[in-house]
Amino acid sequence: MNLQELGAFLRSRRDRVSPDEVQIPTGTRRRVAGLRRDEVAELAHVSVDYYIEIERGTAQPSAGVLDALTAALRMSEDERAHAFTLAGRRPPRHDSTTELLPAMRDLLGRFGDVPAYVTTDLQLVLAQNSAATALHGPIPESSDLTASYVYRWFTNPAVRAQFDDAYHDAEARALVADLRVGVARRGPLDLEAAELIGVLAERSPWFARLWSQQDVGIRRAESKRLNHPGRGSIKYDCYALLSDDARQRVVWYVPTIESSLASSFDAAGGKG
């Protein structure tokens, strides 16, 4: 948090917004090219004195007030995020997590025959390529929380059967630790996260036990062995690339060197 910098940043943005942009009539005696403090306060529905305190760096605005100020000052998403960072606040979310980000869609199309998919922080798969479909099956048609991969992992033995038995415990712990980070980032008022945790804790004692352990960890790189329907057991190096707000990630699997060599050996007729 840096309230002095926040005040300076708001002043700089105020100077760059013309009255015409926000439909404020201008008179012949206007002294500033940008907006006056009282005009910003009126647009954001706060008192002038309070806004002056914010610009002076002597008041920490709430997330709601900051949201109104950034809208009044016509800030870009990056500017808005910067203002919230300076204020030490978490920005309210304007976007939907279930709408595939264009950058994620572009990345997904570049993986070719490498299994890849895009998922939300609650493990709802938004899109996947054909190689991922061959490995994991089609994306569930349902869009509710029962379609979440973490929900299906703890409630559906067929989903766990996609993994070598030796990796079940590690996968479960990694799923829960990653989910805890996402839930905390969403905040205590997020209904989707609260519903998912509540239902899982009720229906899976395994999940409830792991959740109570308070472990945290974002899944970025790990190795796992999966049972490919057509190629048998394959060990993969698994990687994830997160969006700026960590609400979406693209995940892809690369066969390890040992698995690639084994597949080449089998294809050449060396097996048996």
Coordinates of all heavy atoms in Angstrom, one line a residue, residues 13-26 30 33-35 43 71-75:
R13 N -4.2 11.0 -13.6 CA -5.3 10.6 -14.5 C -6.4 11.6 -14.6 O -7.0 11.8 -15.7 CB -5.9 9.3 -13.9 CG -5.0 8.1 -13.8 CD -4.3 7.7 -15.0 NE -2.9 8.3 -15.0 CZ -2.0 8.1 -15.9 NH1 -2.3 7.4 -17.0 NH2 -0.8 8.7 -15.8
R14 N -6.6 12.4 -13.5 CA -7.6 13.4 -13.6 C -7.3 14.5 -14.6 O -8.1 15.0 -15.3 CB -7.8 14.0 -12.2 CG -8.7 15.2 -12.1 CD -9.0 15.6 -10.6 NE -7.8 15.9 -9.8 CZ -7.3 17.1 -9.8 NH1 -7.8 18.1 -10.5 NH2 -6.2 17.3 -9.0
D15 N -6.0 14.8 -14.7 CA -5.5 15.8 -15.6 C -5.7 15.4 -17.1 O -5.7 16.2 -18.0 CB -4.0 16.1 -15.4 CG -3.8 16.8 -14.1 OD1 -4.8 17.4 -13.5 OD2 -2.7 16.9 -13.5
R16 N -5.9 14.1 -17.3 CA -5.9 13.6 -18.7 C -7.3 13.3 -19.2 O -7.5 12.9 -20.4 CB -5.1 12.3 -18.8 CG -3.6 12.5 -18.4 CD -2.9 11.2 -18.7 NE -1.5 11.3 -18.2 CZ -0.5 10.4 -18.4 NH1 -0.8 9.3 -19.2 NH2 0.7 10.6 -18.0
V17 N -8.3 13.5 -18.4 CA -9.7 13.3 -18.8 C -10.3 14.7 -19.1 O -10.4 15.5 -18.2 CB -10.5 12.6 -17.7 CG1 -11.9 12.4 -18.1 CG2 -9.9 11.2 -17.4
S18 N -10.8 14.9 -20.3 CA -11.4 16.1 -20.6 C -12.9 16.1 -20.2 O -13.5 15.1 -20.1 CB -11.3 16.4 -22.1 OG -12.2 15.5 -22.8
P19 N -13.4 17.3 -19.8 CA -14.8 17.4 -19.5 C -15.8 16.8 -20.5 O -16.8 16.2 -20.2 CB -15.1 18.8 -19.3 CG -13.7 19.4 -18.9 CD -12.7 18.6 -19.7
D20 N -15.4 16.9 -21.8 CA -16.2 16.4 -22.9 C -16.4 14.9 -22.8 O -17.4 14.4 -23.1 CB -15.6 16.8 -24.2 CG -15.7 18.3 -24.5 OD1 -16.6 19.0 -23.8 OD2 -15.0 18.8 -25.3
E21 N -15.3 14.2 -22.4 CA -15.3 12.8 -22.3 C -16.4 12.3 -21.3 O -16.9 11.2 -21.5 CB -14.0 12.2 -21.9 CG -12.9 12.3 -23.0 CD -11.6 11.7 -22.5 OE1 -11.5 10.5 -22.4 OE2 -10.7 12.5 -22.2
V22 N -16.6 13.0 -20.3 CA -17.6 12.6 -19.2 C -18.8 13.5 -19.3 O -19.6 13.5 -18.3 CB -16.9 12.6 -17.8 CG1 -15.9 11.5 -17.7 CG2 -16.3 14.0 -17.6
Q23 N -19.0 14.2 -20.4 CA -20.2 15.0 -20.6 C -20.4 16.1 -19.5 O -21.6 16.3 -19.0 CB -21.4 14.1 -20.7 CG -21.2 13.1 -21.9 CD -22.4 12.1 -22.0 OE1 -23.1 11.9 -21.0 NE2 -22.5 11.4 -23.1
I24 N -19.4 16.8 -19.2 CA -19.5 17.9 -18.2 C -19.4 19.2 -19.1 O -18.4 19.4 -19.8 CB -18.3 17.9 -17.2 CG1 -18.6 16.7 -16.2 CG2 -18.3 19.2 -16.4 CD1 -17.5 16.5 -15.2
P25 N -20.3 20.1 -19.0 CA -20.3 21.3 -19.7 C -19.1 22.2 -19.3 O -18.8 22.2 -18.1 CB -21.7 22.0 -19.5 CG -22.2 21.3 -18.3 CD -21.6 19.9 -18.2
T26 N -18.5 22.9 -20.2 CA -17.4 23.7 -19.9 C -17.7 25.2 -20.2 O -18.4 25.5 -21.1 CB -16.1 23.4 -20.8 OG1 -16.5 23.5 -22.1 CG2 -15.7 21.9 -20.5
R30 N -12.9 28.4 -17.5 CA -12.2 27.1 -17.0 C -10.7 27.2 -17.0 O -10.1 27.6 -18.1 CB -12.7 25.9 -17.8 CG -12.3 24.6 -17.2 CD -12.9 23.4 -18.0 NE -12.6 22.2 -17.3 CZ -13.4 21.7 -16.4 NH1 -14.5 22.3 -16.0 NH2 -13.1 20.6 -15.7
A33 N -7.4 21.9 -18.1 CA -7.8 21.1 -19.2 C -8.5 19.9 -18.8 O -9.4 19.4 -19.5 CB -6.6 20.8 -20.1
G34 N -8.1 19.3 -17.7 CA -8.7 18.0 -17.2 C -9.9 18.3 -16.3 O -10.6 19.3 -16.5
L35 N -10.1 17.4 -15.4 CA -11.2 17.5 -14.5 C -10.8 18.1 -13.2 O -9.7 18.0 -12.7 CB -11.8 16.1 -14.2 CG -12.4 15.3 -15.3 CD1 -12.9 14.0 -14.8 CD2 -13.5 16.1 -16.0
L43 N -18.7 12.6 -10.0 CA -18.9 11.5 -10.9 C -18.8 10.2 -10.1 O -19.4 9.2 -10.4 CB -17.8 11.5 -11.9 CG -17.9 12.6 -13.0 CD1 -16.6 12.7 -13.8 CD2 -19.1 12.2 -13.9
A71 N -13.6 4.3 -12.7 CA -14.6 4.4 -13.7 C -14.7 5.8 -14.1 O -14.8 6.2 -15.3 CB -15.9 3.8 -13.3
A72 N -14.8 6.7 -13.1 CA -15.0 8.1 -13.4 C -13.8 8.7 -14.2 O -14.0 9.6 -15.0 CB -15.2 8.9 -12.1
L73 N -12.6 8.2 -13.9 CA -11.4 8.7 -14.6 C -11.1 7.9 -15.8 O -10.0 8.1 -16.4 CB -10.2 8.6 -13.6 CG -10.4 9.6 -12.4 CD1 -9.3 9.3 -11.3 CD2 -10.3 11.0 -12.8
R74 N -12.0 7.1 -16.3 CA -11.8 6.4 -17.5 C -10.5 5.6 -17.6 O -9.8 5.6 -18.6 CB -11.9 7.3 -18.7 CG -13.2 8.1 -18.9 CD -14.3 7.1 -19.2 NE -15.6 7.7 -19.6 CZ -16.6 8.1 -18.8 NH1 -16.5 7.8 -17.5 NH2 -17.6 8.6 -19.2
M75 N -10.2 4.9 -16.5 CA -8.9 4.1 -16.5 C -9.0 2.8 -17.3 O -10.1 2.2 -17.3 CB -8.6 3.8 -15.0 CG -8.1 5.0 -14.2 SD -7.4 4.4 -12.7 CE -7.2 6.0 -11.8

